[in-house]
Amino acid sequence: MKDSKPRKKSDSTKPIFISVSLHALLVVALVWGADFTMSKPEPSGQMVQAVVIDPSMVRQQAQQIRSQREEAAKKEQDRLDKLRRESEQLEKNRQAEEERIRKLKEQQVKEAKAAREAEKQRVQKEKERLAAEERVRKENERAAKLETERKAKEEAIKKAEQERLAKEAAIAKAEKERLAREKAAKEAEEKAAKAEKDRLAKEKAAKEAAEKARKEQERLKRLEREAKEQEAALNDIFAGLETEAGQNNVARNRFIDDEIARMSAIYIQNIQQRLIKDDYLLGKECKVKMKLIPTGSDMLVSGVTVVGGDSRVCAATKSAIAKVGSFPKSSEASVNEKLKDINLTVALD
């Protein structure tokens, strides 16, 4: 548009110049015609032929020049109008282009903003996705850990259940064996009762024999009077023998006590070997009273009574005694007699 303004100035200057030139020519022609019609010059020596200009022709020429000028002015005005319209159209086109560029820039700004927002949302979603994946990973790890712990607990429970069943089976077996031993003990007790009956019969026979012996003693007393001289010597001999017998009785009683202590230690050791080992039982004890029946080669358990102590140690002790069933027999009949009813203290070290 800057280039079109100088062009307009040069285009409008040319018709104006033509118009001014035509007006000047018309004025000269009119002046010239007026001089020839208003005065008549006197001839001066040589005749000069005058040229007469027809005013109508001048007017016609002037009219023609006017028409040409008006036509040129009209053309100039049309050209100027056309230039103005073109300039306005160019201005409209420029404004439309500027508006299109502005809208395009706005659209680009919006698109850039939308792209930034979309990228921001994408980054946020990516962060959320990574966070969700991390949560899922941690949850999976936690679930795997819980599953491992659950399996370990189930395995421990299964193992404990197996041990419990094994212990129950062992207890049931021990109970069965105990019942069998009790049955055997009962049979042995019946045999012992029969043996006691036989013993009583023998004692009766022995009493009868003693009575016979007493009568024989009376007979012998009568004979003692006949042997008074020998009695004094015999009394001296018997006094020495009684002193020796007393000493022998003390030694035997000490031997019997030591033998009972030794057999008690053996019984306790046999019981401890069959106790179920448990850390809880360490340092605790149980006092029991056992009834034993002498048999041909050993002492058979006929009953166990808890005197006092830790309940769990006592339960374990009774179970162990049931497992032992029978205990060794002493070579001394008097010791076995006292072992029939014996008190024991069983402790876990």
Side-chain angles (χ1 to χ4, degrees):
M1 292 183 65
K2 290 182 180 180
D3 295 340
S4 62
K5 288 183 179 181
R7 191 162 52 246
K8 285 183 179 180
K9 185 174 181 181
S10 60
D11 292 340
S12 61
T13 302
K14 185 176 179 181
I16 293 172
F17 177 75
I18 294 172
S19 177
V20 171
S21 299
L22 290 175
H23 280 80
L25 182 59
L26 179 59
V27 171
V28 171
L30 291 174
V31 172
W32 184 267
D35 289 341
F36 280 98
T37 56
M38 292 178 62
S39 62
K40 297 181 180 179
E42 294 291 333
S44 56
Q46 189 178 354
M47 183 165 296
V48 179
Q49 189 177 354
V51 179
V52 180
I53 298 172
D54 189 357
S56 59
M57 184 179 294
V58 173
R59 285 195 297 277
Q60 184 179 0
Q61 290 178 353
Q63 183 65 33
Q64 185 178 1
I65 291 171
R66 187 180 298 108
S67 299
Q68 291 177 351
R69 188 185 63 182
E70 290 177 355
E71 185 178 357
K74 185 177 181 301
K75 288 181 178 181
E76 179 63 16
Q77 187 63 38
D78 292 341
R79 190 183 67 81
L80 292 175
D81 290 341
K82 182 179 179 182
L83 290 174
R84 181 180 56 77
R85 288 193 301 273
E86 291 178 352
S87 177
E88 290 177 353
Q89 185 63 38
L90 289 173
E91 181 64 19
K92 289 181 180 180
N93 292 340
R94 184 189 66 78
Q95 291 178 357
E97 182 65 17
E98 287 182 353
E99 182 66 16
R100 187 184 69 79
I101 293 172
R102 184 185 66 78
K103 290 182 178 179
L104 181 60
K105 287 182 178 180
E106 288 180 355
Q107 182 65 25
Q108 290 176 348
V109 170
K110 288 180 180 179
E111 291 177 354
K113 184 178 180 181
R116 288 195 301 273
E117 186 66 24
E119 179 63 18
K120 183 177 179 182
Q121 292 180 359
R122 186 192 66 78
V123 172
Q124 182 64 27
K125 288 182 179 179
E126 182 66 15
K127 289 181 179 179
E128 292 175 356
R129 184 186 66 80
L130 293 175
E133 289 181 353
E134 182 65 16
R135 287 195 300 272
V136 170
R137 184 185 65 79
K138 290 182 177 179
E139 183 63 24
N140 290 336
E141 289 179 354
R142 188 178 72 85
K145 183 178 179 182
L146 290 176
E147 180 66 15
T148 301
E149 292 176 354
R150 183 188 66 79
K151 289 182 178 179
K153 288 180 179 179
E154 286 184 352
E155 187 65 24
I157 292 171
K158 183 179 178 181
K159 184 177 179 181
E161 182 66 14
Q162 290 176 349
E163 292 177 354
R164 185 187 66 81
L165 293 174
K167 287 181 180 179
E168 288 182 353
I171 292 171
K173 182 179 179 182
E175 182 66 14
K176 185 177 179 181
E177 292 175 353
R178 183 187 66 80
L179 293 174
R181 282 193 295 270
E182 286 183 354
K183 182 179 179 181
K186 187 176 180 181
E187 293 176 353
E189 189 174 357
E190 291 176 354
K191 290 180 180 179
K194 184 179 179 182
E196 182 68 14
K197 185 178 179 181
D198 293 340
R199 185 185 66 80
L200 291 174
K202 289 179 181 180
E203 284 183 356
K204 184 179 179 182
K207 285 181 180 179
E208 293 176 352
E211 182 64 21
K212 290 180 179 180
R214 184 183 64 78
K215 292 178 178 180
E216 182 67 19
Q217 288 286 337
E218 290 179 352
R219 189 182 66 83
L220 291 175
K221 284 181 181 180
R222 286 193 302 268
L223 295 175
E224 287 179 358
R225 287 189 300 268
E226 299 174 356
K228 286 182 180 180
E229 293 82 3
Q230 299 177 358
E231 188 174 2
L234 291 173
N235 286 335
D236 293 336
I237 295 172
F238 288 149
L241 291 175
E242 285 177 357
T243 301
E244 185 180 356
Q247 293 176 350
N248 290 335
N249 286 334
V250 172
R252 183 166 181 78
N253 289 334
R254 185 162 50 250
F255 168 77
I256 291 172
D257 292 339
D258 292 341
E259 184 69 7
I260 290 173
R262 186 180 70 83
M263 297 302 294
S264 297
I266 293 173
Y267 292 176
I268 292 172
Q269 184 178 7
N270 289 344
I271 294 170
Q272 287 177 338
Q273 288 175 352
R274 289 166 177 81
L275 282 175
I276 298 175
K277 303 301 180 182
D278 191 339
D279 292 340
Y280 170 81
L281 304 180
L282 295 177
K284 297 179 174 60
E285 64 181 21
C286 177
K287 294 180 179 181
V288 295
K289 184 175 184 180
M290 283 198 314
K291 288 186 178 296
L292 302 175
I293 299 174
T295 62
S297 59
D298 54 15
M299 303 289 285
L300 189 64
V301 178
S302 64
V304 179
T305 302
V306 174
V307 178
D310 185 83
S311 60
R312 290 180 62 180
V313 176
C314 290
T317 300
K318 290 182 70 178
S319 177
I321 292 172
K323 291 179 181 178
V324 175
S326 61
F327 292 89
K329 188 177 181 181
S330 176
S331 59
E332 294 292 329
S334 57
V335 174
N336 293 329
E337 189 67 25
K338 291 189 176 183
L339 290 176
K340 289 181 180 180
D341 195 359
I342 184 171
N343 290 325
L344 297 177
T345 300
V346 180
L348 286 180
D349 299 328

